[in-house]
Amino acid sequence: MTPTDDVHAQALKLARTYLGQEDLDGGWFELGGSSLDAARLVSSLEHDHGWEIALQDLLTAPSVAGLLTAPAAAGAPEAPAAADAPFPAPVAAAAGGASAGGADVLWPALARLSASERLALAHRLLGDVLRESGEPR
């Protein structure tokens, strides 16, 4: 789907909400964003507006505003090579560096999943953790 101007506006509004600032001229992590909020934004855009953006594209874009307003990125399918790219440096830093326990191996696999698949996986993993810890759900 090629997003309308309204969808672009909603995407920018959501990004500003998740980042807690108006200026979106910088990378997601550079602007103080978390990977969880990035996943929420991608999921919301897909679920509420039918606009699929690859999480990896959001996390590695040099400009959040540029990605969310660029017509070329609007409906472009995710390039297969991007999923095979090494773990992005900002994500590695956020995850605790290169020795983050396999995160550099997991990231490409997670980036290939749709937002709804990632959300379902996160819910399942959280349920498993809570069950094993004995905490009430």
Side-chain angles (χ1 to χ4, degrees):
M1 162 192 158
T2 301
T4 63
D5 288 342
D6 184 52
V7 173
H8 284 293
Q10 288 299 316
L12 291 170
K13 181 179 177 182
L14 282 170
R16 287 182 178 108
T17 300
Y18 286 125
L19 291 168
Q21 62 182 344
E22 290 295 313
D23 181 18
L24 300 179
D25 191 25
W28 185 264
F29 290 114
E30 178 186 335
L31 296 172
S34 70
S35 55
L36 180 59
D37 283 337
R40 287 179 178 144
L41 174 61
V42 167
S43 179
S44 178
L45 290 174
E46 182 180 340
H47 183 264
D48 299 335
H49 303 287
W51 184 21
E52 291 187 39
I53 292 179
L55 179 61
Q56 185 172 3
D57 290 347
L58 178 61
L59 295 177
T60 60
S63 168
V64 172
L67 175 71
L68 297 179
T69 58
E78 181 179 347
D84 297 329
F87 196 81
V91 179
S99 62
D104 55 337
V105 175
L106 271 177
W107 176 249
L110 290 173
R112 288 185 188 112
L113 298 175
S114 72
S116 59
E117 290 170 321
R118 285 189 301 273
L119 189 57
L121 177 61
H123 284 174
R124 194 173 89 216
L125 290 172
L126 182 58
D128 291 346
V129 167
L130 291 174
R131 228 180 343 276
E132 288 179 16
S133 71
E135 293 291 321
R137 291 179 117 193

